[in-house]
Amino acid sequence: MVEARVVVMGPSGSGKSLIGSLLAERLGIRFVDADDLHPATNVAKMAAGVPLDDADRMPWLDVVAARLRDEPGGAVIACSALARRYRDRIRRAAPDAVFVELVVDADELERRMRRRTHFMPATLLDSQLETLEHLSHDESGFGVDGALAPDEIVRVVAERLG
């Protein structure tokens, strides 16, 4: 078991939940899906095709960050964390968080979103991509090609985490 605080990030459809759960299993730590931490009002808003704004996201990110910080032994959390300010918000509570960005092109994201059942409709993908700020070189974390096979992504991430 490894103590780590990892946020698997990216837009909807990038594979955060799948990769996050597989990574947590490999590392022997708890997996948390940040979608499960949204208040009902956020879920209803997204289900209606209305993008969240910062007033919706910031309280939710505080819950995500506290969960990441307080999980004994660490955790892997699947969370969009699309913008630098959102990642900074998480880092304020969990300064040792490492962000793993799943990089997937827009056409593939849309294809994946249309194939699945989820409260986030594919119509919100454009707003997610407009909000997306890729990890900067000065942030703790790295990007991974989200088009690789899931087991390969997990292997690469586990190696990079050490």
Side-chain angles (χ1 to χ4, degrees):
M1 182 165 118
V2 172
E3 178 155 340
R5 300 190 194 302
V6 180
V7 178
V8 177
M9 59 163 284
S12 190
S14 60
K16 298 179 299 290
S17 298
L18 173 62
I19 300 305
S21 64
L22 293 172
L23 181 62
E25 183 179 321
R26 176 156 178 168
L27 298 177
I29 57 179
R30 183 174 307 277
F31 170 70
V32 178
D33 193 325
D35 281 350
D36 297 336
L37 304 177
H38 271 295
T41 53
N42 283 7
V43 173
K45 194 172 182 178
M46 289 182 284
V50 178
L52 299 181
D53 58 26
D54 281 5
D56 302 312
R57 284 189 184 106
M58 293 306 184
W60 167 68
L61 289 167
D62 290 340
V63 171
V64 170
R67 184 70 183 269
L68 183 63
R69 176 195 64 218
D70 296 342
E71 194 62 53
V76 175
I77 293 191
C79 177
S80 54
L82 295 172
R84 171 82 182 241
R85 66 188 177 279
Y86 305 152
R87 296 186 294 274
D88 289 345
R89 185 85 171 216
I90 292 170
R91 273 191 287 270
R92 276 198 283 282
D96 56 345
V98 175
F99 291 82
V100 175
E101 180 180 359
L102 298 176
V103 181
V104 181
D105 73 53
D107 289 339
E108 177 63 11
L109 289 170
E110 184 173 4
R111 187 183 68 72
R112 290 178 183 184
M113 288 180 74
R114 293 198 185 283
R115 279 195 341 219
R116 69 181 190 170
T117 303
H118 191 272
F119 63 79
M120 171 80 80
T123 56
L124 289 181
L125 179 58
D126 286 343
S127 71
Q128 290 228 321
L129 294 175
E130 288 169 14
T131 303
L132 178 62
E133 297 170 357
H134 295 287
L135 282 172
S136 295
H137 69 284
D138 64 334
E139 292 186 82
S140 176
F142 51 90
V144 178
D145 181 353
L148 296 172
D151 59 336
E152 180 66 9
I153 294 171
V154 170
R155 185 191 65 72
V156 168
V157 172
E159 285 178 5
R160 294 276 312 261
L161 291 173

